[in-house]
Each structure stands twice: as C-alpha cells, then as structure tokens.
Amino acid sequence: MDAFLVSTGVVALGEIGDKTQLLAMMLAARYHRPGLICLGVLIATLANHALAGLAGQLVARLLDPDILQWAVGISFLLMAGWLLIPDKLEEAPRPMRGLGVLTATITLFFLAEMGDKTQIATVALAARYENLVAVVGGSTLGMMLANVPAVYFGARAADRLPARLVHGVAAALFAIMGGVTLANAAGWV
C-alpha cells in the first residue's frame, strides 16, 4: 500500500503546473471533449508509466542492491531539485488531421510525458518499490488527480492552485525520501 500511496501523492503534486497538465488544458480548450480527453490521458499515462515502471524494475534487477539504494536516493534528491523548476509548454499542439480527439490526446500526451518529471519519478519509484502494479496504479491515479480538474476547469482551476507551494511540498517529499533512502544505504537507519 505504501508504494501506491507514495506514488499517487508524489506524482499528483509533481504534475501541478507540469507541461503535460498544460497540454491537457490546451487539448480541452481546442477540442471541447473533456470525457474523451480524460480517457486519452488515462490510456497514455497507463502505457507510459507501465513502461517507466518496467524500466525501473529492470534497473533494480541489474544493479547491486547497495548501489541501487544509493542511486535511488540520489535520484530522489535530484527530482526534488527538478520539481522546483517550473515547466512551460513550448508551443501549442497543432491540430492533427485525420485523427480523432482520443487518438490525438493519447499520442500528444504519451509523447509529452516521455522524459518528463513524473515519468522519471515513476522509474525511481518502481526501482524503490517491488510492487509494479501499485507504483503504476498510484502514479497513474496521481496523474489523473492533477489532470482531470485541469481538463474540466481549465486555466481557472490551475490559476487558483499555488503551483510554487505545491511543487515545494512535492520537492520536500522527494528530498525526505531521498534522505531516508541514503541514510538507509549508509546504515544509519
């Protein structure tokens, strides 16, 4: 249950103000089909985070457990710093001729999530926790908790959330997890 709850909380907080959340708002403004957009976000996130989780478990199997603990601890600390850097969407998504709203959302969201903070967090969480289903389920729920309101309420909802504070809390959580993981690796805990 820890893997599910930690993954949900960390990803939901990390997604606030993230470029994929901005993309979800832009898709909602362009297509006006919130149900299909949310379904597309769900499908893209499940696929993307399943791959990220598998990558994290592969890393966990390939590395010596002691080295893995140090790597995961350091990656959590790096993620804490990265969360403090605000995201911006570089350009608006272009209409995709011949593709429906669902296909466009899945494609754009999957590609935007590649190498994103929440995908990297999912890799680290899957390396840390053995339960792949709990990590992927939790990280996907976290993405949906952040993106569904963005799709339905758009910029108004996002503007009311103090993104700097939310990112600070997420960064603090990652820093605490990194510190505890490194303390455990050093044998202090």
Side-chain angles (χ1 to χ4, degrees):
M1 197 64 171
D2 285 348
F4 180 80
L5 293 175
V6 168
S7 298
T8 300
V10 164
V11 169
L13 289 172
E15 181 66 7
I16 302 295
D18 191 74
K19 72 178 179 224
T20 48
Q21 188 184 46
L22 298 173
L23 175 62
M25 287 188 274
M26 292 176 78
L27 288 167
R30 168 160 282 147
Y31 294 117
H32 304 285
R33 301 287 306 268
L36 284 176
I37 292 165
C38 288
L39 179 60
V41 168
L42 175 64
I43 293 167
T45 300
L46 278 171
N48 196 292
H49 287 208
L51 292 172
L54 289 170
Q57 289 205 326
L58 178 63
V59 167
R61 286 191 187 107
L62 293 176
L63 291 180
D64 176 82
D66 293 331
I67 293 171
L68 177 64
Q69 266 195 316
W70 286 99
V72 169
I74 291 168
S75 72
F76 282 157
L77 292 177
L78 291 172
M79 185 62 62
W82 192 8
L83 280 167
L84 297 175
I85 302 169
D87 265 349
K88 292 183 179 134
L89 195 59
E90 297 301 319
E91 65 179 67
R94 294 194 170 109
M96 301 178 79
R97 288 183 170 40
L99 295 177
V101 173
L102 180 63
T103 305
T105 301
I106 292 168
T107 303
L108 290 169
F109 207 86
F110 183 88
L111 292 174
E113 187 64 11
M114 296 299 291
D116 196 50
K117 295 171 191 169
T118 50
Q119 185 193 42
I120 303 299
T122 303
V123 171
L125 289 163
R128 165 73 173 83
Y129 296 104
E130 292 181 18
N131 190 336
L132 177 64
V133 172
V135 169
V136 172
S139 67
T140 300
L141 177 60
M143 291 288 285
M144 297 310 291
L145 288 173
N147 285 301
V148 168
V151 169
Y152 279 97
F153 303 115
R156 287 179 291 153
D159 289 342
R160 292 176 192 220
L161 291 173
R164 180 174 263 160
L165 174 65
V166 172
H167 278 259
V169 170
L173 287 174
F174 268 108
I176 290 167
M177 290 188 326
V180 168
T181 303
L182 291 174
N184 191 26
W188 299 339
V189 179

